[in-house]
Amino acid sequence: MVKVLTSPSRYVQGKNVLAEIGKYVKPLGDKALVVISKGGYSRNGQMVEKSFQEAGIEAVFEFFAGESSRDEVERLQKIVQEKGLNVSVGIGGGKALDTAKTVAHFESLPVAVCPTSAATDAPCTSFSVMYTEDGEFDEYVFFDRTSDLILMDTQVVANAPKRLFVAGMGDALATMFEARASVASGAKNLVGGLSTRAALGLTELCYEILMEEGRKALQAVEAGVLTEAVDQVIEASTYLSGVGAESSGLAAAHAVHNGMTALEETHDYLHGEKVAFGVITQLVLENAPQEELDEVLDFCMDIGLPVTLAELGVKEPDEAGLRNVAELAVAEGDTGHNEPFAVDADMYYAAIVAADKIGTDARAKRNA
């Protein structure tokens, strides 16, 4: 099997780089679809519009409807076709970026993504996650290339709500563990090849930065300042996690996340928050060493990530609901099978229930 590593064509990270977006987008096109939320436009719209004007780019701003769904993508495709736009730009969170990327894919356009938080590693992946209009996981849409430009404004990210910063660390927390499982199982990565050693190394560096810098970075964000620790965690949560995950593979943690979207109680919780619980579930499924499990639990509790189902809104979990989550985790085509041993829904159900108990006991011990 051929080994494949994929990454964005250009990754730009720094303070106040969003104010220069026009300069970076101009080589890609001069008639831009700009997917942005109403809130994002109120915060950054004038600055972005000015930069586009200075660069000679005609920008059509479209407010993101809230879900990266097929309906939303098709709505934006029609605008691209009607106005003859030649580049897709996403500004905002993971779902807005996935939507801009998917529009670019189906319309064969270059794409630039500008995250306003470090809540997920979506910017650096060559696929998008599609949801239904009700917020349930629908499907992955895979592209033939990654984004042409990632523009990561560290000041904007540091100013975003703390919860988003923490959720990004939750998503990135899974990267090394899922890569390890995928490589051990011989599973294909998300671009159809095997992992390179370089890609696996990125996932290991991602985890090292989270453990070393994550707590310090959160304290800086809480204090309202941008520090070197924040800068490193942004890179880990975005570039290292995104490229590492895509080029090494996903496994149980994201499969559990996908299954949990079927529980209505979890719909108000962020991707990375659900993935963090998925990491704990994966470690239980793999019967990981206690020391490793404790390190993950301590980190999650230190920075405010969920370690129990109750902390994800599932106050009274019932067996039927959790078994449905488990069935979805091992659905055909999902990543739940990328473990170094055969798995089934019963094993996932047991791991979810045990992870919840382990997390509940760990939380109670800390609060005692």
Side-chain angles (χ1 to χ4, degrees), residues 169-225:
M169 288 194 276
D171 195 20
L173 184 64
T175 306
M176 183 189 75
F177 296 112
E178 291 189 295
R180 184 176 69 184
S182 296
V183 170
S185 69
K188 292 180 181 179
N189 60 24
L190 299 183
V191 287
L194 295 179
S195 176
T196 63
R197 186 63 185 87
L200 192 59
L202 292 181
T203 73
E204 293 163 354
L205 179 59
C206 178
Y207 186 76
E208 290 172 13
I209 289 174
L210 292 181
M211 292 302 107
E212 179 63 29
E213 307 292 343
R215 296 168 178 86
K216 292 185 292 182
L218 178 58
Q219 289 172 319
V221 167
E222 289 173 334
V225 294

Side-chain angles (χ1 to χ4, degrees), residues 234-257:
I234 289 172
E235 183 179 348
S237 296
T238 308
Y239 186 83
L240 298 178
S241 179
V243 175
E246 183 161 48
S247 297
S248 288
L250 302 179
H254 273 80
V256 170
H257 160 274

Side-chain angles (χ1 to χ4, degrees), residues 21-22 28 46 182 212 239 281 290 293 304 308 368:
I21 185 173
L28 304 178
Q46 287 187 339
S182 296
E212 179 63 29
Y239 186 83
T281 303
Q290 187 67 47
L293 183 57
T308 70

Side-chain angles (χ1 to χ4, degrees), residues 318-331:
D318 64 275
E319 181 174 345
L322 295 185
R323 285 200 176 276
N324 185 40
V325 172
E327 291 285 354
L328 292 169
V330 295

Side-chain angles (χ1 to χ4, degrees), residues 147-184:
S147 299
D148 298 277
L149 170 67
I150 312 294
L151 194 65
M152 202 77 193
D153 190 321
T154 51
Q155 188 64 64
V156 170
V157 171
N159 291 344
K162 176 185 77 171
R163 183 183 176 191
L164 299 178
F165 190 76
V166 171
M169 288 194 276
D171 195 20
L173 184 64
T175 306
M176 183 189 75
F177 296 112
E178 291 189 295
R180 184 176 69 184
S182 296
V183 170

